Amino acid sequence: MKKSIFVISLAAALLTTSCASKKELVACQEENKALQTNYQNTKEQLASSNTRVASLEEQVKELRRNNAKLQSSLDKSLTNASQNNVSIEKLVDQINESNQYIRHLVEVKSKSDSLNMVLTNNLTRSLSKEELKEVDVQVLKGVVYISLADNMLYKSGSYEINDRAAETLSKIAKIIKDYRDYDVLIEGNTDDVPIKRENIRNNWDLSCLRASSVVQFLQNRYGVDPKRLTAGGRGEYNPLATNSTELGKQRNRRTQIIITPKLDQFMDLIDKAPDSEE
């Protein structure tokens, strides 16, 4: 009886021990499974992290390359900007000099225009109403033009000056002598009607002879310095109007007295570029 009880007790103990070991095994298996899962996840995360690190390292390299390019471009830009600043400063200086020179030319032109207007006003005031009908005075581009009709100065087809022109030419001579810094060109013009007389071959001759007559009249009769006088003829080739009408021909038959500043003095004024004020 005692033996039976011992056997039963032993079997119960073994059974109990067996049950406990089985639970522990199951628990260990589950823990192992969890550890394997964690290990796998960790392994995958590590691989992913390594991939991201490699990608980030490549991005860093690319950023460094771009940074180097940008720095190089910046250095070039700064160098160019420095050079451009020098060029711009030179350009500004040149523009300032040009503007100063332009102002100088404007002052010269203004002075010349003012003198020409005074000359013109003095001349027109000295002429009578009758003379003004046959004398036209204009200022064009800084030059004074005094145009005289041929029937006022000469006999028809002739280059000899008539008595009626003497008084008008005396007034013009006074103006010329008052303005000593001006040169005078006497220019003869004709219509297109052919002419051929003794010592006059054509309209070229007639226009030149008429201009020469006025020059010599101003010199010999009124004492105008001949160094200031020039005689020239343009024949029929500088018409003011058509030669198809009598009125047009009359306008074209004229002698012009052209008064201009002496060229050398005028060029001296222009060549004297203003110096910078000290």
Side-chain angles (χ1 to χ4, degrees):
M1 182 68 178
K2 290 182 179 179
K3 186 177 180 180
S4 299
I5 295 171
F6 174 76
V7 171
I8 293 169
S9 298
L10 179 62
L14 290 172
L15 181 62
T16 303
T17 302
S18 175
C19 290
S21 297
K22 186 176 181 181
K23 289 180 179 179
E24 289 177 356
L25 178 61
V26 171
C28 287
Q29 288 176 344
E30 289 178 353
E31 184 178 357
N32 182 58
K33 185 177 180 181
L35 288 173
Q36 286 182 347
T37 300
N38 288 338
Y39 171 74
Q40 188 64 33
N41 291 339
T42 301
K43 186 177 179 180
E44 290 176 358
Q45 290 177 2
L46 179 61
S48 176
S49 296
N50 288 336
T51 302
R52 289 191 62 192
V53 168
S55 175
L56 290 173
E57 287 178 348
E58 187 61 33
Q59 291 179 25
V60 168
K61 290 180 182 179
E62 183 65 23
L63 288 173
R64 286 176 177 170
R65 287 194 292 268
N66 291 339
N67 184 61
K69 291 180 181 179
L70 289 173
Q71 186 63 47
S72 177
S73 298
L74 178 60
D75 292 340
K76 290 180 180 179
S77 297
L78 291 174
T79 301
N80 292 335
S82 177
Q83 294 174 347
N84 288 338
N85 284 338
V86 174
S87 300
I88 290 171
E89 288 176 0
K90 290 182 179 179
L91 180 60
V92 169
D93 290 340
Q94 292 175 355
I95 291 173
N96 289 335
E97 290 177 1
S98 297
N99 288 337
Q100 194 173 4
Y101 189 53
I102 290 170
R103 287 194 296 270
H104 171 68
L105 292 179
V106 170
E107 291 174 1
V108 171
K109 185 179 183 301
S110 178
K111 181 179 178 181
S112 176
D113 289 345
S114 297
L115 288 173
N116 287 340
M117 290 307 299
V118 172
L119 184 154
T120 302
N121 291 336
N122 290 343
L123 178 59
T124 53
R125 279 199 299 267
S126 68
L127 297 175
S128 66
K129 291 182 179 180
E130 292 301 318
E131 288 173 324
L132 286 173
K133 292 178 181 179
E134 297 180 295
V135 178
D136 180 41
V137 183
Q138 294 184 18
V139 177
L140 299 174
K141 296 182 179 180
V143 179
V144 178
Y145 292 83
I146 306 170
S147 184
L148 301 97
D150 74 321
N151 57 0
M152 172 189 178
L153 291 173
Y154 323 100
K155 296 178 181 179
S156 178
S158 172
Y159 56 86
E160 296 294 337
I161 294 177
N162 60 39
D163 295 335
R164 190 164 71 93
E167 184 177 354
T168 302
L169 288 177
S170 70
K171 296 174 182 178
I172 295 174
K174 183 179 184 306
I175 295 295
I176 292 173
K177 292 172 72 175
D178 287 343
Y179 290 82
R180 299 179 183 276
D181 293 333
Y182 285 71
D183 281 331
V184 183
L185 168 64
I186 312 299
E187 181 184 275
N189 295 270
T190 69
D191 58 25
D192 64 348
V193 177
I195 183 172
K196 188 173 182 179
R197 298 186 182 181
E198 187 178 356
N199 298 326
I200 303 177
R201 293 169 297 181
N202 48 41
N203 284 329
W204 276 115
D205 280 355
L206 179 60
S207 63
C208 291
L209 287 169
R210 285 181 167 178
S212 179
S213 293
V214 174
V215 163
Q216 294 179 65
F217 202 85
L218 293 173
Q219 175 189 354
N220 299 330
R221 183 73 68 91
Y222 302 114
V224 176
D225 185 356
K227 294 179 182 179
R228 299 173 56 196
L229 300 173
T230 301
R234 303 191 67 176
E236 64 199 68
Y237 301 103
N238 185 36
L240 291 177
T242 176
N243 282 301
S244 60
T245 65
E246 193 57 40
L247 180 60
K249 291 179 181 178
Q250 184 178 342
R251 290 192 62 197
N252 293 334
R253 296 191 299 266
R254 69 199 187 280
T255 296
Q256 286 190 308
I257 300 176
I258 303 171
I259 304 175
T260 63
K262 288 187 177 180
L263 185 59
D264 55 349
Q265 296 181 5
F266 185 70
M267 293 305 296
D268 285 343
L269 284 174
I270 292 180
D271 290 338
K272 289 179 182 177
D275 298 327
S276 58
E277 295 182 2
E278 298 181 356

